[in-house]
Amino acid sequence: MFDIRKDFNCCKTVSCKNFGVENSEDYVYQSKRLGYLSIECKACGSNPPWINNQLIENILKEKLDFHFARKITHCRHCYSHFFFNEKNRSQLHGFTVAGTQRLKCKNCQHVYSETKHKNVEAITQVLQTIIDKLDINSAIRKTGLSARLYYFYLEKLSLLLTNFSRLKEQEEINRDSLSLQTEGKVVHLNHKRGFYTLLTAEADSGYILLQTTNLTKVELLEQDIYNSTENTVIKDAFANNIESEIKNHYQQTLHRKHFEKLLIGELKAINHCNLIYPNKLVYVHFSLLRGFIKKAQHYSHYIELESSIRAAALMSAHPEIKAGKADIFYYLPFLNNQEIIKNRKVGWWSDRWHSFDKGAYSLLTDNKQNQYPFKMTDTEQLNRYYDYLDTHLNKSLNSFNTITNLSEIHRVLFNFCYAQDDKSTAMQFGVANHIYDEMSLLSEAMTYKEYTGE
Ligand SMILES: [Zn+2]
Ligand SMILES: [Zn+2]
């Protein structure tokens, strides 16, 4: 059902004959030649770090169920996840005793009823506490709900908004060509808590399609739990020209124990969950993005200059890259770029860089007849959402459920309610024709239906 890669231990050098190939004779599995566990490709001499495939699969399942599960509408037997399953057809099938519309799935004959949302008042109150940026304790007090009920309605709210946004996105995503943009960020909370988050937007509009975090409830081995105090996040060097800036970024990568060793400094544990290493989350995140690109004839992916993101982006899009249907670009924003560089080899990997007015980019895939050149007009879109999240997410949060639900709620609120130059990203993306206020978004989300019959 899910067209998602399972084995990430293979060569990741695009120009190598083993690129993306599973079980090549040229591989040395679990090699320690360079002092860390890796898979060695003898054909190109590369040693990408060893990936625990089972770990990725377990986390993927958890994130898939949270970000894409169909919990409100449709036949759950045939259509468990947005984007990853074909939509089921249904026919009207009378009413329940309570007067709710029943539907019968044409595929499996399963009868189900439309969800009726009860206690609208409570859900509305919870939303108001989020708009007011209250900390959880004050929020619970303000609503007069018990803690248990507050969390219950918070989850309902998150589910409702996610469902609404996924329905809308689904209508819009069937494009022939699609451009995505991805960056990773660290979100800091009080008491040295925090998490790593990967953000992906549709690149033309800045509409945030997916925001995953490295928080997990999946049981982990000690070695897989993030516990580093080291910080290897690539920092801007503020060099005087774009080429030095690119070089500096590569140099910082070379100082790592291995290129994909992305560490995010000391982060204290959050209740009821663990943090995984960012370079594991990237494989999960990019696997989930396959849901969006599945139907595109061509897609471009713009990613930040970060080796671990590069590896995951290349692996996830491997079939499309091979078929010449996907182009992956690095980009590096550079304020007031004055210089022009063209096809300049920079860094240990000899990536070829080109300048544009907002920085520079490099095509990582090897597409000779590239009909879809680099076309990025706004490099600040993900920063804008990150800044929004940083100011709207209450810093005293300390549990898996609140952080993940609130992150998802904010993704939707940002897309539909937040205006930049009189337009929301949802309007730019084509899923809204006006800027919503939060309450009208909620009431539309509660009643929004897609046409499911014939
Ligand atoms: Zn190779
Ligand atoms: Zn069904």
Side-chain angles (χ1 to χ4, degrees), residues 395-407:
K395 297 292 181 203
S396 62
L397 295 176
N398 187 23
S399 86
F400 177 85
N401 283 345
T402 47
I403 294 173
T404 49
N405 281 321
L406 280 167
S407 298

Side-chain angles (χ1 to χ4, degrees), residues 75 77-78 105 108:
C75 174
H77 292 245
C78 306
C105 173
C108 74

Side-chain angles (χ1 to χ4, degrees), residues 11 16 41 44:
C11 177
C16 179
C41 173
C44 68

Side-chain angles (χ1 to χ4, degrees), residues 28-43:
V28 180
Y29 285 91
Q30 304 208 310
S31 159
K32 282 190 175 165
R33 189 172 70 100
L34 298 182
Y36 59 90
L37 207 58
S38 68
I39 172 157
E40 186 180 334
C41 173
K42 285 187 170 160

